[in-house]
Amino acid sequence: MAPMVWAQAVHKSYGRLEVLRGIDLEVQLKEVMCIIGPSGSGKSTFLRCINHLEKIDAGRLSVDGELVGYTEKNGKLYELPDKEVCRKRAEIGMVFQRFNLFPHMTALENVIEAPVRVKRESRASSDARARTLLARVGLGDKIDAYPNQLSGGQQQRVAIARALAMQPKLMLFDEPTSALDPELVGEVLDVMRALAEDGMTMIVVTHEMGFAREVGDSLVFMDGGVIVESGKPRDVLADPQQERTRAFLSKVL
Amino acid sequence: MTDIASGSPGPAAPAGQRPEAVKAIPVRHPWRWVSAAAVFLIAADAIYTLITAPNMDWSVVGRYLFQRLILEGVSLTLALTVVAMVIGIVLGAILAVMRISPNPVMSAVSWFYIWFFRGTPVLVQVFFWWNLAIILPRLGIGIAPNGPWLLSASTNELITPFVAAMLGLGLNEAAYMSEIVRAGIISVDQGQTEAAQALGMTRLQVMQRIVLPQAMRVIIPPTGNETISMLKTTSLAFVATVPELYTRAQQIANFNFKVVELLTVASLWYLFMTSILTIGQYYIERYFARGSQRQLPPTPFQRFRQLLFTFHAPPPGPPMMTTFPSEHR
């Protein structure tokens, strides 16, 4: 069976700045992979490549056995039309550092927007599922609140519910707790932990080493656009093999 | 006090009992009263001078204010404002979306349109549409240049004075509106577009559902400006012989020589219509502020009440407005 995410020598530059300089990795179905590393190491960029918010410049990147953003026929790459890109994005959930909830919609409207508009689901069924999801992330009583009436942790939980409403096969988390007050981090991590236990395939860019150790199946340390070290979270965190990893961990642990 | 004496770290006041509300004598602002009086005196003098101007015949103003010809002019002015603004807003929004489209044909067409219609005087544009028949006696669809017509009509029948004014004002307005809409679009956080795209929404859906509703807050104030400006720009329709308010006032003045009186009539009507539009704009802004402000801005009436209080004292305790309009849900 094909891995859920498969990357081979992925390169990405912004002008002359090389952000990704050859990323190789595999994420299996139901695996939780955590990516750590200093800021500017390319973690977020790689995550954004996976749902084609960024185009890669070289290498191959596929999700569930299909190339991201392209099709390959007779050894030639063809760019996918927008419609296809949208269809594939709809199968991948993404949670952002700064939540990016739609401020002009209530929590409930945020969650049902994509199922109704993108999947053309009926209002009633998406409404029912949205209510269940919001209850599951502990916000059953906040369905009619606007984002600016919610705390950061609550907003991020709505954002997770919004992504889950599309019933994705893969969830991408881009530093989901970095913009939160310390005391609100826990409530978001709890939701993510429950999601992992349900068997969701997840890639989590994070600075939460405790979460990586307890919930992650694998850990990747990135620096300077390459993967420096990877392995079981406990092994990498307790006994890093590379000097660079050791130096980073000594500062954050 | 007893708490401190007894050494317990509890709140200063006994539980369940609020301390006495602060009753301080407010800071006095005598100069506000003095300046208000001065402004009032100057305004009163100006108005008195105008009203009692020896050669100003106010009975003429009164006679013509609700005269049939003037009322017809008012309704034409209103109609022209509405259609020109509808053309301007709809076409402007389309042009703005085209302008930022990744499709180079779209953005080039939009750029050229804005360049042309913003670069020539609106008076000339109205005049051009009105005189189109001079250079093109017939309008229609044919197979090739100079080929046989499939569908055609006389330009003079197609371009009535009202249509000429409507096209001139509306197409010109679209160029300005498109820049206003574009400013609104680029004011919306990029993260909104990314979040919507990550959910699988198409460019058009992102624009319609996510970006434009948020852009409205930035778009509405200058659009109100444009509407009010349009109300008065409709007076240029006289070059297309549309008998709107200003033209009517001029025509009447041309035979009774009461120029100032009739311009006063027209101005009173313009002021009245502008006031109505201003009030309308305020409530539209309030509607689109939902989700972006914890507390909606006060209605003019609430603000007036507040002003009366603040004039000599700090604002009264709790704000008088409601929190969130559940009626919009």
Side-chain angles (χ1 to χ4, degrees):
Chain A
M1 196 169 123
M4 182 56 84
V5 178
W6 173 78
Q8 188 190 52
V10 169
H11 282 71
K12 169 77 191 172
S13 309
Y14 293 117
R16 293 173 67 185
L17 178 71
E18 258 199 314
V19 189
L20 299 178
R21 300 186 298 145
I23 302 289
D24 299 274
L25 59 73
E26 274 185 23
V27 182
Q28 306 299 329
L29 187 68
K30 301 196 173 191
E31 181 177 337
V32 176
M33 174 182 278
C34 293
I35 303 179
I36 60 170
S39 52
S41 61
K43 320 178 290 280
S44 294
T45 304
F46 179 65
L47 210 60
R48 294 157 58 83
C49 287
I50 295 176
N51 64 359
H52 209 50
L53 283 179
E54 305 283 353
K55 282 183 182 173
I56 63 173
D57 296 330
R60 288 285 189 276
L61 180 59
S62 73
V63 173
D64 206 12
E66 288 178 33
L67 284 183
V68 174
Y70 305 93
T71 46
E72 198 163 18
K73 268 184 223 153
N74 308 325
K76 275 188 188 159
L77 281 184
Y78 295 87
E79 260 185 36
L80 285 179
D82 282 350
K83 212 175 148 191
E84 279 299 296
V85 173
C86 288
R87 194 182 59 76
K88 291 192 173 182
R89 278 188 188 136
E91 299 174 341
I92 304 172
M94 187 159 190
V95 174
F96 298 85
Q97 181 177 351
R98 292 195 302 119
F99 327 134
N100 294 349
L101 288 183
F102 308 133
H104 57 304
M105 299 181 182
T106 63
L108 186 71
E109 289 170 326
N110 264 279
V111 178
I112 63 178
E113 179 68 15
V116 170
R117 303 283 157 186
V118 178
K119 280 191 168 179
R120 307 265 164 221
E121 255 180 57
S122 79
R123 190 97 191 171
S125 78
S126 55
D127 191 279
R129 197 169 65 250
R131 283 168 196 274
T132 315
L133 278 169
L134 283 169
R136 217 176 107 194
V137 298
L139 294 171
D141 55 337
K142 297 282 185 193
I143 52 172
D144 288 326
Y146 283 91
N148 70 352
Q149 296 168 313
L150 299 171
S151 74
Q154 290 170 332
Q155 287 188 52
Q156 194 61 298
R157 285 185 281 152
V158 173
I160 294 174
R162 178 176 69 176
L164 291 177
M166 291 297 280
Q167 296 168 310
K169 54 188 178 187
L170 169 68
M171 283 284 286
L172 308 173
F173 292 86
D174 187 4
E175 302 197 27
T177 57
S178 297
L180 296 178
D181 290 344
E183 60 173 345
L184 302 178
V185 169
E187 63 191 51
V188 172
L189 291 182
D190 286 344
V191 169
M192 291 168 62
R193 184 176 290 122
L195 198 55
E197 280 162 10
D198 280 357
M200 176 61 76
T201 312
M202 296 162 56
I203 303 181
V204 185
V205 171
T206 187
H207 295 296
E208 296 294 327
M209 298 304 159
F211 177 85
R213 185 188 297 117
E214 287 154 35
V215 182
D217 299 307
S218 55
L219 183 72
V220 166
F221 172 67
M222 276 179 70
D223 189 24
V226 294
I227 293 176
V228 176
E229 191 166 351
S230 62
K232 291 266 169 221
R234 278 171 202 284
D235 299 344
V236 177
L237 291 174
D239 183 23
Q241 300 300 306
Q242 301 291 325
E243 181 53 40
R244 183 70 192 91
T245 318
R246 228 168 298 166
F248 176 76
L249 289 176
S250 72
K251 281 180 194 144
V252 298
L253 282 180
Chain B
M1 292 302 138
T2 48
D3 285 355
I4 293 167
S6 63
S8 85
Q17 200 184 317
R18 274 185 82 220
E20 198 191 341
V22 174
K23 273 187 205 149
I25 293 157
V27 177
R28 303 291 175 191
H29 297 287
W31 286 106
R32 288 189 190 173
W33 291 102
V34 174
S35 56
V39 168
F40 178 78
L41 280 178
I42 292 168
D45 183 57
I47 292 168
Y48 179 79
T49 311
L50 262 180
I51 289 177
T52 58
N55 294 329
M56 178 80 181
D57 191 350
W58 283 97
S59 70
V60 174
V61 174
R63 199 169 338 125
Y64 281 101
L65 196 55
F66 296 104
Q67 210 258 356
R68 189 178 53 84
L69 288 175
I70 290 289
L71 290 185
E72 278 171 12
V74 168
S75 63
L76 257 178
T77 290
L78 267 180
L80 204 49
T81 304
V82 169
V83 290
M85 281 314 289
V86 167
I87 293 175
I89 291 170
V90 172
L91 189 56
I94 293 171
L95 284 167
V97 173
M98 283 170 68
R99 183 86 183 81
I100 53 174
S101 156
N103 180 338
V105 180
M106 294 275 201
S107 72
V109 168
S110 173
W111 185 91
F112 181 82
Y113 184 99
I114 295 166
W115 171 79
F116 184 81
F117 282 89
R118 216 169 45 168
T120 50
V122 63
L123 183 66
V124 173
Q125 289 175 30
V126 175
F127 198 67
F128 169 82
W129 288 108
W130 174 232
N131 288 299
L132 192 63
I134 297 174
I135 49 173
L136 291 175
R138 284 191 85 72
L139 290 178
I141 303 165
I143 293 167
N146 304 321
W149 295 107
L150 290 179
L151 196 70
S152 77
S154 145
T155 303
N156 269 332
E157 280 169 29
L158 226 50
I159 310 279
T160 63
F162 188 83
V163 171
M166 177 184 89
L167 287 173
L169 295 172
L171 297 184
N172 181 266
E173 184 58 31
Y176 287 92
M177 277 307 302
S178 82
E179 287 293 276
I180 290 173
V181 174
R182 193 168 68 90
I185 289 173
I186 55 183
S187 76
V188 176
D189 180 22
Q190 184 64 28
Q192 292 290 311
T193 304
E194 282 179 6
Q197 282 179 337
L199 287 166
M201 295 174 85
T202 62
R203 269 182 50 83
L204 201 64
Q205 284 174 329
V206 174
M207 199 49 84
Q208 272 179 358
R209 299 286 310 168
I210 308 302
V211 175
L212 278 180
Q214 293 182 60
M216 289 308 274
R217 295 195 54 230
V218 174
I219 293 173
I220 286 168
T223 303
N225 230 0
E226 291 291 312
T227 311
I228 285 167
S229 165
M230 177 62 78
L231 191 74
K232 293 165 293 171
T233 311
T234 52
S235 58
L236 294 183
F238 79 88
V239 299
T241 68
V242 178
E244 43 66 59
L245 177 56
Y246 173 79
T247 310
R248 274 286 154 82
Q250 282 289 335
Q251 285 171 347
I252 296 169
N254 278 347
F255 69 79
N256 70 3
F257 303 112
K258 299 286 185 188
V259 180
V260 177
E261 286 81 354
L262 277 147
L263 286 183
T264 305
V265 168
S267 298
L268 285 174
W269 273 109
Y270 281 123
L271 263 178
F272 173 73
M273 290 188 280
T274 308
S275 312
I276 300 289
L277 287 176
T278 308
I279 294 168
Q281 177 188 344
Y282 190 85
Y283 282 94
I284 296 174
E285 271 178 41
R286 233 171 98 88
Y287 172 77
F288 280 103
R290 76 198 194 284
S292 58
Q293 276 161 308
R294 272 162 208 257
Q295 231 160 28
L296 286 176
T299 60
F301 178 69
Q302 289 167 336
R303 188 178 291 188
F304 180 69
R305 267 187 64 192
Q306 221 168 18
L307 189 81
L308 279 186
F309 283 109
T310 46
F311 205 73
H312 56 91
M320 287 161 292
M321 48 239 124
T322 53
T323 46
F324 256 87
S326 49
E327 68 267 21
H328 294 320
R329 286 294 354 110

